[in-house]
Amino acid sequence: MSSWFHKYHGYDSHVHFLHRLAAAHPSVSRGIHLFGRSGPWENPAIVFFGTAHAREWISTMVAEYIAYSLLSESHVDADIKHALDSFDFYIFPVVNPDGLVYSQTKRRMWRKNRQAQNGTSCVGRDLNRNWDIHWGQNGGSSASPCHGTYRGQNAFDAPETRALAMELEDINERQGIRLFIDWHAFGQLVMHPYGYSCNKSLPPFSATAWLAGELAEAMRKVHGTKYKSGTACNLLYATSGDSADFVFEVLGADYAYTVELRPGRLDQRGFRLPENEIMETAEEAWGGVKHMLNLIHHY
Ligand SMILES: [Zn+2]
């Protein structure tokens, strides 16, 4: 099954892969729900997203690799078993299915979903600008339907963000969200809140900021790939209505991050990360997650 991570795959194959992986586990809509011996819904939740942006294919492979590794290593690694017994994992490898299909079949550089809108021939909303958290503020998104960062006419007017927000709210009410990571590409950045304002920062000695640095360093240790950590707005640019700000500020998760995977920011290959780097990228993400799982037991 690990040969799965040597190539990119079509959407239908991803659905099939998840079904195989989840065979012994109850499924949640659009994702996979993993837990240990205490059963489901007992422990704090850990949530991962992949491919909110259609062209960022590596993020789906990474989310799947984490699910795969949690299941396959829990038999041999006491730390992983302990993590599965202590947390409920909700993994959504393809947040933007119709966008991914479009990127794979029509236009490689497509970013948004494929939602049509009356009055314009332009298609799609940016699913990471559509969350109801300072939506549309501070120039962190576009009001133009033709733009790549189009936020929509209202917060949560994309079916994908609306459904995910409802699911995350349920999870949060039931068990609380301990850790959230929205995997993206590219730039090799571990970003913590806030995205919506560069003037707002986490309190000094924030565990959320500290853990971002731990994640970046643990990812570097696997294959020597440098990841930078910091505030989303400062590392990249202002992003209003994004998932990590919503999960952190509205849902009150302890730790919420957006991670930009390989390649680095100045790398010409950009979104076209070659297939022979899927495995190493997935391994370094998993190395980072494993380190975090060990830490958040204690902090
Ligand atoms: Zn992205």
Side-chain angles (χ1 to χ4, degrees), residues 107-168:
R107 220 169 111 191
R108 178 66 184 84
M109 286 301 131
W110 189 255
R111 169 181 170 97
K112 300 183 282 183
N113 72 357
R114 293 294 303 161
Q115 192 171 352
Q117 184 174 313
N118 283 340
T120 173
S121 58
C122 290
V123 170
R125 278 151 176 66
D126 183 337
L127 296 184
N128 208 29
R129 300 293 185 277
N130 189 246
W131 293 74
D132 194 3
I133 172 77
H134 295 267
W135 178 84
Q137 290 180 15
N138 298 335
S141 61
S142 173
S144 160
C146 300
H147 199 275
T149 59
Y150 178 48
R151 58 181 170 249
Q153 292 174 303
N154 299 105
F156 289 146
D157 70 352
E160 296 87 349
T161 50
R162 198 162 56 233
L164 286 164
M166 282 167 62
E167 191 143 6
L168 294 189

Short mmCIF file of all heavy atoms in Angstrom, two decimals, residues 107-168:
data_model
loop_
_atom_site.label_atom_id
_atom_site.label_comp_id
_atom_site.label_asym_id
_atom_site.label_seq_id
_atom_site.Cartn_x
_atom_site.Cartn_y
_atom_site.Cartn_z
N ARG A 107 -7.33 22.27 -16.00
CA ARG A 107 -6.41 23.39 -15.81
C ARG A 107 -5.60 23.16 -14.54
O ARG A 107 -6.10 23.33 -13.44
CB ARG A 107 -7.24 24.68 -15.67
CG ARG A 107 -6.61 25.85 -16.38
CD ARG A 107 -7.58 27.00 -16.46
NE ARG A 107 -7.15 28.09 -15.62
CZ ARG A 107 -7.89 29.14 -15.33
NH1 ARG A 107 -9.13 29.22 -15.79
NH2 ARG A 107 -7.43 30.09 -14.57
N ARG A 108 -4.34 22.79 -14.73
CA ARG A 108 -3.48 22.37 -13.62
C ARG A 108 -3.41 23.43 -12.51
O ARG A 108 -3.32 23.10 -11.34
CB ARG A 108 -2.07 22.10 -14.17
CG ARG A 108 -1.04 21.69 -13.13
CD ARG A 108 -1.35 20.36 -12.52
NE ARG A 108 -0.41 20.01 -11.46
CZ ARG A 108 -0.51 20.41 -10.19
NH1 ARG A 108 -1.50 21.21 -9.82
NH2 ARG A 108 0.36 20.01 -9.29
N MET A 109 -3.45 24.71 -12.88
CA MET A 109 -3.23 25.77 -11.89
C MET A 109 -4.53 26.28 -11.26
O MET A 109 -4.54 27.34 -10.61
CB MET A 109 -2.46 26.94 -12.52
CG MET A 109 -1.00 26.64 -12.74
SD MET A 109 -0.16 26.24 -11.20
CE MET A 109 0.68 24.75 -11.67
N TRP A 110 -5.64 25.54 -11.42
CA TRP A 110 -6.89 25.96 -10.79
C TRP A 110 -6.77 25.89 -9.27
O TRP A 110 -6.15 24.99 -8.73
CB TRP A 110 -8.05 25.07 -11.26
CG TRP A 110 -9.36 25.60 -10.79
CD1 TRP A 110 -10.12 25.10 -9.78
CD2 TRP A 110 -10.04 26.76 -11.27
NE1 TRP A 110 -11.25 25.88 -9.61
CE2 TRP A 110 -11.22 26.91 -10.50
CE3 TRP A 110 -9.76 27.72 -12.26
CZ2 TRP A 110 -12.12 27.95 -10.71
CZ3 TRP A 110 -10.67 28.75 -12.46
CH2 TRP A 110 -11.83 28.85 -11.69
N ARG A 111 -7.38 26.86 -8.58
CA ARG A 111 -7.24 27.00 -7.13
C ARG A 111 -8.56 26.83 -6.38
O ARG A 111 -8.63 26.19 -5.33
CB ARG A 111 -6.67 28.39 -6.85
CG ARG A 111 -6.69 28.83 -5.40
CD ARG A 111 -6.11 30.26 -5.31
NE ARG A 111 -6.30 30.85 -4.01
CZ ARG A 111 -5.39 30.87 -3.05
NH1 ARG A 111 -4.22 30.27 -3.22
NH2 ARG A 111 -5.63 31.47 -1.90
N LYS A 112 -9.64 27.43 -6.91
CA LYS A 112 -10.90 27.54 -6.15
C LYS A 112 -11.75 26.27 -6.30
O LYS A 112 -11.34 25.30 -6.92
CB LYS A 112 -11.68 28.74 -6.69
CG LYS A 112 -10.93 30.05 -6.56
CD LYS A 112 -11.75 31.24 -7.02
CE LYS A 112 -11.80 31.38 -8.53
NZ LYS A 112 -12.54 32.59 -8.96
N ASN A 113 -12.98 26.32 -5.76
CA ASN A 113 -13.93 25.25 -6.07
C ASN A 113 -14.54 25.56 -7.45
O ASN A 113 -14.04 26.41 -8.17
CB ASN A 113 -14.98 25.09 -4.95
CG ASN A 113 -15.99 26.23 -4.91
OD1 ASN A 113 -15.91 27.19 -5.67
ND2 ASN A 113 -16.96 26.12 -4.01
N ARG A 114 -15.61 24.88 -7.84
CA ARG A 114 -16.16 25.06 -9.19
C ARG A 114 -17.60 25.57 -9.13
O ARG A 114 -18.43 25.25 -9.98
CB ARG A 114 -16.08 23.73 -9.96
CG ARG A 114 -14.65 23.28 -10.26
CD ARG A 114 -13.93 24.20 -11.22
NE ARG A 114 -14.64 24.33 -12.49
CZ ARG A 114 -14.45 25.31 -13.36
NH1 ARG A 114 -13.57 26.26 -13.11
NH2 ARG A 114 -15.15 25.36 -14.48
N GLN A 115 -17.87 26.37 -8.13
CA GLN A 115 -19.21 26.88 -7.89
C GLN A 115 -19.55 28.00 -8.88
O GLN A 115 -18.82 28.99 -8.97
CB GLN A 115 -19.24 27.43 -6.47
CG GLN A 115 -20.59 27.73 -5.91
CD GLN A 115 -20.46 28.04 -4.42
OE1 GLN A 115 -19.38 27.87 -3.81
NE2 GLN A 115 -21.54 28.51 -3.81
N ALA A 116 -20.68 27.85 -9.59
CA ALA A 116 -21.12 28.90 -10.52
C ALA A 116 -21.85 29.99 -9.74
O ALA A 116 -22.32 29.77 -8.62
CB ALA A 116 -22.05 28.30 -11.56
N GLN A 117 -21.91 31.17 -10.33
CA GLN A 117 -22.60 32.28 -9.67
C GLN A 117 -23.38 33.08 -10.71
O GLN A 117 -22.87 33.37 -11.79
CB GLN A 117 -21.57 33.17 -8.97
CG GLN A 117 -22.20 34.30 -8.18
CD GLN A 117 -21.16 35.07 -7.38
OE1 GLN A 117 -20.32 34.49 -6.70
NE2 GLN A 117 -21.20 36.39 -7.47
N ASN A 118 -24.62 33.45 -10.37
CA ASN A 118 -25.44 34.28 -11.26
C ASN A 118 -24.75 35.60 -11.55
O ASN A 118 -24.15 36.19 -10.65
CB ASN A 118 -26.80 34.57 -10.62
CG ASN A 118 -27.73 33.37 -10.70
OD1 ASN A 118 -27.54 32.47 -11.52
ND2 ASN A 118 -28.73 33.34 -9.83
N GLY A 119 -24.86 36.04 -12.80
CA GLY A 119 -24.37 37.37 -13.14
C GLY A 119 -22.90 37.42 -13.52
O GLY A 119 -22.37 38.48 -13.82
N THR A 120 -22.23 36.29 -13.50
CA THR A 120 -20.83 36.27 -13.93
C THR A 120 -20.50 34.92 -14.56
O THR A 120 -21.08 33.89 -14.19
CB THR A 120 -19.86 36.52 -12.75
OG1 THR A 120 -18.51 36.33 -13.22
CG2 THR A 120 -20.11 35.56 -11.60
N SER A 121 -19.61 34.96 -15.53
CA SER A 121 -19.19 33.69 -16.12
C SER A 121 -18.01 33.12 -15.35
O SER A 121 -17.56 32.00 -15.61
CB SER A 121 -18.81 33.90 -17.59
OG SER A 121 -17.77 34.87 -17.66
N CYS A 122 -17.48 33.90 -14.40
CA CYS A 122 -16.36 33.40 -13.60
C CYS A 122 -16.86 32.40 -12.57
O CYS A 122 -17.95 32.53 -12.03
CB CYS A 122 -15.63 34.55 -12.93
SG CYS A 122 -14.74 35.55 -14.12
N VAL A 123 -16.04 31.40 -12.34
CA VAL A 123 -16.45 30.26 -11.52
C VAL A 123 -15.56 30.15 -10.29
O VAL A 123 -14.37 30.42 -10.35
CB VAL A 123 -16.33 28.97 -12.37
CG1 VAL A 123 -16.50 27.73 -11.51
CG2 VAL A 123 -17.34 28.98 -13.50
N GLY A 124 -16.18 29.75 -9.16
CA GLY A 124 -15.41 29.30 -8.02
C GLY A 124 -15.22 30.29 -6.90
O GLY A 124 -15.13 31.50 -7.10
N ARG A 125 -15.20 29.72 -5.70
CA ARG A 125 -14.85 30.48 -4.51
C ARG A 125 -13.56 29.92 -3.93
O ARG A 125 -13.31 28.72 -4.02
CB ARG A 125 -15.96 30.33 -3.46
CG ARG A 125 -17.13 31.25 -3.68
CD ARG A 125 -18.41 30.61 -3.15
NE ARG A 125 -19.56 31.50 -3.25
CZ ARG A 125 -20.10 31.92 -4.40
NH1 ARG A 125 -19.59 31.54 -5.57
NH2 ARG A 125 -21.15 32.72 -4.40
N ASP A 126 -12.77 30.81 -3.31
CA ASP A 126 -11.57 30.35 -2.61
C ASP A 126 -12.01 29.77 -1.26
O ASP A 126 -12.48 30.50 -0.39
CB ASP A 126 -10.62 31.54 -2.41
CG ASP A 126 -9.31 31.13 -1.76
OD1 ASP A 126 -9.28 30.07 -1.07
OD2 ASP A 126 -8.32 31.85 -1.92
N LEU A 127 -11.85 28.47 -1.11
CA LEU A 127 -12.36 27.81 0.10
C LEU A 127 -11.54 28.16 1.34
O LEU A 127 -11.95 27.83 2.45
CB LEU A 127 -12.38 26.29 -0.10
CG LEU A 127 -13.33 25.81 -1.20
CD1 LEU A 127 -13.36 24.28 -1.26
CD2 LEU A 127 -14.75 26.34 -0.97
N ASN A 128 -10.44 28.84 1.16
CA ASN A 128 -9.72 29.29 2.35
C ASN A 128 -9.83 30.81 2.55
O ASN A 128 -9.00 31.43 3.21
CB ASN A 128 -8.25 28.87 2.32
CG ASN A 128 -7.70 28.71 3.73
OD1 ASN A 128 -8.45 28.39 4.67
ND2 ASN A 128 -6.40 28.95 3.90
N ARG A 129 -10.90 31.39 1.99
CA ARG A 129 -11.24 32.80 2.25
C ARG A 129 -12.74 32.93 2.56
O ARG A 129 -13.25 34.03 2.62
CB ARG A 129 -10.92 33.68 1.03
CG ARG A 129 -9.47 33.69 0.60
CD ARG A 129 -8.55 34.36 1.63
NE ARG A 129 -7.19 34.45 1.11
CZ ARG A 129 -6.30 33.45 1.16
NH1 ARG A 129 -6.61 32.30 1.73
NH2 ARG A 129 -5.09 33.62 0.65
N ASN A 130 -13.41 31.81 2.72
CA ASN A 130 -14.88 31.79 2.80
C ASN A 130 -15.39 31.49 4.22
O ASN A 130 -16.59 31.43 4.45
CB ASN A 130 -15.40 30.74 1.79
CG ASN A 130 -16.90 30.75 1.61
OD1 ASN A 130 -17.58 29.78 1.98
ND2 ASN A 130 -17.44 31.84 1.08
N TRP A 131 -14.48 31.32 5.18
CA TRP A 131 -14.88 30.98 6.55
C TRP A 131 -15.33 32.25 7.27
O TRP A 131 -14.86 33.35 6.98
CB TRP A 131 -13.71 30.32 7.30
CG TRP A 131 -13.36 28.98 6.73
CD1 TRP A 131 -12.70 28.75 5.55
CD2 TRP A 131 -13.66 27.70 7.29
NE1 TRP A 131 -12.58 27.39 5.34
CE2 TRP A 131 -13.15 26.73 6.38
CE3 TRP A 131 -14.30 27.26 8.46
CZ2 TRP A 131 -13.27 25.35 6.61
CZ3 TRP A 131 -14.41 25.90 8.70
CH2 TRP A 131 -13.91 24.96 7.79
N ASP A 132 -16.23 32.04 8.22
CA ASP A 132 -16.84 33.19 8.91
C ASP A 132 -15.96 33.68 10.06
O ASP A 132 -16.30 33.55 11.23
CB ASP A 132 -18.23 32.79 9.42
CG ASP A 132 -19.04 34.02 9.82
OD1 ASP A 132 -18.55 35.15 9.64
OD2 ASP A 132 -20.17 33.83 10.32
N ILE A 133 -14.81 34.24 9.68
CA ILE A 133 -13.90 34.82 10.68
C ILE A 133 -13.24 36.04 10.03
O ILE A 133 -12.43 35.90 9.11
CB ILE A 133 -12.84 33.79 11.16
CG1 ILE A 133 -11.78 34.43 12.05
CG2 ILE A 133 -12.18 33.03 10.02
CD1 ILE A 133 -12.25 34.69 13.44
N HIS A 134 -13.66 37.21 10.45
CA HIS A 134 -13.21 38.46 9.82
C HIS A 134 -13.31 38.37 8.30
O HIS A 134 -12.41 38.82 7.56
CB HIS A 134 -11.79 38.81 10.27
CG HIS A 134 -11.72 39.11 11.73
ND1 HIS A 134 -11.83 40.39 12.22
CD2 HIS A 134 -11.61 38.30 12.81
CE1 HIS A 134 -11.77 40.34 13.55
NE2 HIS A 134 -11.65 39.10 13.94
N TRP A 135 -14.39 37.75 7.84
CA TRP A 135 -14.60 37.50 6.42
C TRP A 135 -14.55 38.82 5.62
O TRP A 135 -15.24 39.77 5.96
CB TRP A 135 -15.94 36.79 6.24
CG TRP A 135 -16.29 36.51 4.82
CD1 TRP A 135 -15.89 35.45 4.06
CD2 TRP A 135 -17.12 37.31 3.97
NE1 TRP A 135 -16.41 35.55 2.80
CE2 TRP A 135 -17.16 36.68 2.71
CE3 TRP A 135 -17.82 38.51 4.16
CZ2 TRP A 135 -17.89 37.19 1.64
CZ3 TRP A 135 -18.54 39.03 3.09
CH2 TRP A 135 -18.57 38.37 1.85
N GLY A 136 -13.72 38.84 4.60
CA GLY A 136 -13.68 39.99 3.70
C GLY A 136 -12.97 41.22 4.26
O GLY A 136 -12.99 42.27 3.64
N GLN A 137 -12.35 41.10 5.42
CA GLN A 137 -11.71 42.28 6.02
C GLN A 137 -10.23 42.42 5.65
O GLN A 137 -9.58 41.45 5.28
CB GLN A 137 -11.83 42.23 7.55
CG GLN A 137 -13.25 42.44 8.02
CD GLN A 137 -13.33 42.37 9.54
OE1 GLN A 137 -12.32 42.43 10.24
NE2 GLN A 137 -14.54 42.25 10.05
N ASN A 138 -9.73 43.62 5.78
CA ASN A 138 -8.28 43.91 5.71
C ASN A 138 -7.62 43.51 4.41
O ASN A 138 -6.42 43.22 4.38
CB ASN A 138 -7.53 43.20 6.86
CG ASN A 138 -8.00 43.71 8.21
OD1 ASN A 138 -8.48 44.83 8.32
ND2 ASN A 138 -7.86 42.88 9.23
N GLY A 139 -8.39 43.44 3.34
CA GLY A 139 -7.78 43.13 2.05
C GLY A 139 -7.21 41.72 1.95
O GLY A 139 -6.40 41.43 1.07
N GLY A 140 -7.65 40.84 2.84
CA GLY A 140 -7.11 39.48 2.84
C GLY A 140 -7.80 38.53 1.89
O GLY A 140 -7.58 37.31 1.96
N SER A 141 -8.64 39.06 1.00
CA SER A 141 -9.35 38.22 0.03
C SER A 141 -9.88 39.16 -1.06
O SER A 141 -9.80 40.37 -0.93
CB SER A 141 -10.51 37.48 0.69
OG SER A 141 -11.44 38.41 1.22
N SER A 142 -10.44 38.58 -2.12
CA SER A 142 -10.94 39.40 -3.21
C SER A 142 -12.47 39.38 -3.27
O SER A 142 -13.10 38.35 -3.00
CB SER A 142 -10.38 38.90 -4.54
OG SER A 142 -11.00 39.60 -5.61
N ALA A 143 -13.06 40.54 -3.65
CA ALA A 143 -14.51 40.62 -3.85
C ALA A 143 -14.88 40.30 -5.29
O ALA A 143 -16.06 40.24 -5.62
CB ALA A 143 -15.00 42.03 -3.48
N SER A 144 -13.88 40.08 -6.14
CA SER A 144 -14.16 39.83 -7.55
C SER A 144 -14.26 38.34 -7.86
O SER A 144 -13.33 37.58 -7.61
CB SER A 144 -13.04 40.43 -8.41
OG SER A 144 -13.04 39.82 -9.68
N PRO A 145 -15.42 37.91 -8.42
CA PRO A 145 -15.63 36.49 -8.71
C PRO A 145 -14.60 35.91 -9.68
O PRO A 145 -14.42 34.70 -9.74
CB PRO A 145 -17.02 36.44 -9.34
CG PRO A 145 -17.69 37.71 -8.94
CD PRO A 145 -16.60 38.73 -8.78
N CYS A 146 -13.92 36.77 -10.42
CA CYS A 146 -12.95 36.26 -11.39
C CYS A 146 -11.57 36.06 -10.76
O CYS A 146 -10.67 35.49 -11.38
CB CYS A 146 -12.84 37.23 -12.56
SG CYS A 146 -14.40 37.46 -13.42
N HIS A 147 -11.39 36.55 -9.55
CA HIS A 147 -10.08 36.50 -8.91
C HIS A 147 -9.85 35.15 -8.20
O HIS A 147 -10.80 34.52 -7.74
CB HIS A 147 -9.98 37.65 -7.91
CG HIS A 147 -8.57 37.98 -7.53
ND1 HIS A 147 -7.91 37.31 -6.52
CD2 HIS A 147 -7.69 38.87 -8.04
CE1 HIS A 147 -6.68 37.79 -6.42
NE2 HIS A 147 -6.52 38.75 -7.33
N GLY A 148 -8.60 34.78 -8.11
CA GLY A 148 -8.24 33.50 -7.49
C GLY A 148 -8.55 33.42 -6.00
O GLY A 148 -8.72 32.34 -5.45
N THR A 149 -8.61 34.57 -5.34
CA THR A 149 -8.92 34.54 -3.90
C THR A 149 -10.33 35.08 -3.63
O THR A 149 -10.60 35.66 -2.57
CB THR A 149 -7.90 35.36 -3.09
OG1 THR A 149 -7.92 36.72 -3.55
CG2 THR A 149 -6.50 34.79 -3.21
N TYR A 150 -11.25 34.84 -4.59
CA TYR A 150 -12.64 35.29 -4.41
C TYR A 150 -13.26 34.64 -3.16
O TYR A 150 -13.28 33.42 -3.02
CB TYR A 150 -13.47 34.95 -5.64
CG TYR A 150 -14.92 35.35 -5.51
CD1 TYR A 150 -15.27 36.63 -5.06
CD2 TYR A 150 -15.93 34.45 -5.81
CE1 TYR A 150 -16.60 36.99 -4.93
CE2 TYR A 150 -17.27 34.81 -5.70
CZ TYR A 150 -17.60 36.08 -5.25
OH TYR A 150 -18.92 36.44 -5.11
N ARG A 151 -13.77 35.51 -2.27
CA ARG A 151 -14.26 35.03 -0.96
C ARG A 151 -15.70 34.58 -0.98
O ARG A 151 -16.19 34.02 0.01
CB ARG A 151 -14.10 36.14 0.06
CG ARG A 151 -14.83 37.43 -0.30
CD ARG A 151 -14.58 38.48 0.79
NE ARG A 151 -15.05 39.79 0.42
CZ ARG A 151 -14.27 40.84 0.15
NH1 ARG A 151 -12.96 40.71 0.19
NH2 ARG A 151 -14.79 42.00 -0.15
N GLY A 152 -16.45 34.84 -2.09
CA GLY A 152 -17.87 34.53 -2.14
C GLY A 152 -18.71 35.76 -1.83
O GLY A 152 -18.17 36.84 -1.52
N GLN A 153 -20.03 35.61 -1.92
CA GLN A 153 -20.94 36.74 -1.64
C GLN A 153 -21.18 36.88 -0.15
O GLN A 153 -21.53 37.95 0.34
CB GLN A 153 -22.26 36.54 -2.38
CG GLN A 153 -22.09 36.66 -3.90
CD GLN A 153 -23.36 36.33 -4.65
OE1 GLN A 153 -23.91 35.24 -4.50
NE2 GLN A 153 -23.84 37.27 -5.44
N ASN A 154 -21.07 35.78 0.55
CA ASN A 154 -21.20 35.77 2.01
C ASN A 154 -20.26 34.72 2.58
O ASN A 154 -19.91 33.78 1.88
CB ASN A 154 -22.62 35.37 2.45
CG ASN A 154 -23.66 36.34 1.94
OD1 ASN A 154 -24.40 36.05 1.01
ND2 ASN A 154 -23.71 37.52 2.55
N ALA A 155 -19.93 34.87 3.84
CA ALA A 155 -19.18 33.80 4.51
C ALA A 155 -20.01 32.51 4.45
O ALA A 155 -21.23 32.55 4.57
CB ALA A 155 -18.92 34.19 5.96
N PHE A 156 -19.31 31.41 4.25
CA PHE A 156 -19.95 30.09 4.21
C PHE A 156 -20.99 29.95 3.10
O PHE A 156 -21.94 29.17 3.25
CB PHE A 156 -20.58 29.75 5.56
CG PHE A 156 -19.57 29.45 6.65
CD1 PHE A 156 -19.83 29.80 7.97
CD2 PHE A 156 -18.37 28.82 6.36
CE1 PHE A 156 -18.91 29.53 8.98
CE2 PHE A 156 -17.44 28.55 7.37
CZ PHE A 156 -17.71 28.91 8.68
N ASP A 157 -20.86 30.67 2.00
CA ASP A 157 -21.77 30.40 0.89
C ASP A 157 -21.20 29.37 -0.09
O ASP A 157 -21.77 29.13 -1.15
CB ASP A 157 -22.20 31.70 0.18
CG ASP A 157 -21.07 32.35 -0.62
OD1 ASP A 157 -19.90 31.90 -0.50
OD2 ASP A 157 -21.37 33.31 -1.34
N ALA A 158 -20.10 28.75 0.27
CA ALA A 158 -19.60 27.58 -0.47
C ALA A 158 -20.07 26.33 0.29
O ALA A 158 -19.92 26.27 1.51
CB ALA A 158 -18.08 27.61 -0.55
N PRO A 159 -20.64 25.36 -0.42
CA PRO A 159 -21.13 24.16 0.27
C PRO A 159 -20.03 23.43 1.04
O PRO A 159 -20.29 22.85 2.09
CB PRO A 159 -21.68 23.28 -0.86
CG PRO A 159 -21.31 23.92 -2.14
CD PRO A 159 -20.90 25.33 -1.87
N GLU A 160 -18.80 23.48 0.52
CA GLU A 160 -17.71 22.75 1.18
C GLU A 160 -17.39 23.36 2.56
O GLU A 160 -17.28 22.63 3.55
CB GLU A 160 -16.44 22.79 0.32
CG GLU A 160 -16.56 22.08 -1.02
CD GLU A 160 -17.11 22.98 -2.13
OE1 GLU A 160 -17.59 24.10 -1.83
OE2 GLU A 160 -17.06 22.56 -3.30
N THR A 161 -17.24 24.67 2.62
CA THR A 161 -16.90 25.29 3.91
C THR A 161 -18.07 25.18 4.89
O THR A 161 -17.88 24.96 6.08
CB THR A 161 -16.51 26.77 3.75
OG1 THR A 161 -17.51 27.43 2.97
CG2 THR A 161 -15.17 26.92 3.08
N ARG A 162 -19.29 25.32 4.34
CA ARG A 162 -20.47 25.24 5.22
C ARG A 162 -20.55 23.86 5.87
O ARG A 162 -20.75 23.72 7.06
CB ARG A 162 -21.74 25.53 4.40
CG ARG A 162 -22.94 25.90 5.24
CD ARG A 162 -23.99 26.59 4.41
NE ARG A 162 -24.40 25.76 3.27
CZ ARG A 162 -24.41 26.16 2.01
NH1 ARG A 162 -24.02 27.37 1.68
NH2 ARG A 162 -24.79 25.33 1.05
N ALA A 163 -20.40 22.82 5.04
CA ALA A 163 -20.48 21.44 5.56
C ALA A 163 -19.36 21.17 6.55
O ALA A 163 -19.57 20.57 7.61
CB ALA A 163 -20.42 20.45 4.40
N LEU A 164 -18.15 21.62 6.22
CA LEU A 164 -17.02 21.37 7.12
C LEU A 164 -17.18 22.12 8.43
O LEU A 164 -16.90 21.59 9.50
CB LEU A 164 -15.70 21.78 6.44
CG LEU A 164 -15.23 20.84 5.34
CD1 LEU A 164 -14.16 21.50 4.48
CD2 LEU A 164 -14.70 19.53 5.94
N ALA A 165 -17.67 23.36 8.35
CA ALA A 165 -17.86 24.14 9.58
C ALA A 165 -18.89 23.46 10.48
O ALA A 165 -18.69 23.38 11.70
CB ALA A 165 -18.31 25.56 9.24
N MET A 166 -19.97 22.95 9.88
CA MET A 166 -20.98 22.25 10.70
C MET A 166 -20.38 21.02 11.35
O MET A 166 -20.63 20.74 12.52
CB MET A 166 -22.19 21.87 9.83
CG MET A 166 -23.11 23.06 9.57
SD MET A 166 -24.32 22.74 8.27
CE MET A 166 -25.22 21.39 8.99
N GLU A 167 -19.59 20.29 10.58
CA GLU A 167 -18.97 19.08 11.13
C GLU A 167 -17.97 19.43 12.24
O GLU A 167 -17.96 18.80 13.30
CB GLU A 167 -18.28 18.31 9.99
CG GLU A 167 -17.86 16.94 10.42
CD GLU A 167 -18.02 15.88 9.33
OE1 GLU A 167 -18.37 16.24 8.19
OE2 GLU A 167 -17.81 14.71 9.66
N LEU A 168 -17.17 20.46 12.01
CA LEU A 168 -16.19 20.86 13.03
C LEU A 168 -16.89 21.39 14.29
O LEU A 168 -16.43 21.15 15.41
CB LEU A 168 -15.23 21.92 12.48
CG LEU A 168 -14.29 21.49 11.36
CD1 LEU A 168 -13.26 22.58 11.09
CD2 LEU A 168 -13.58 20.19 11.68
#
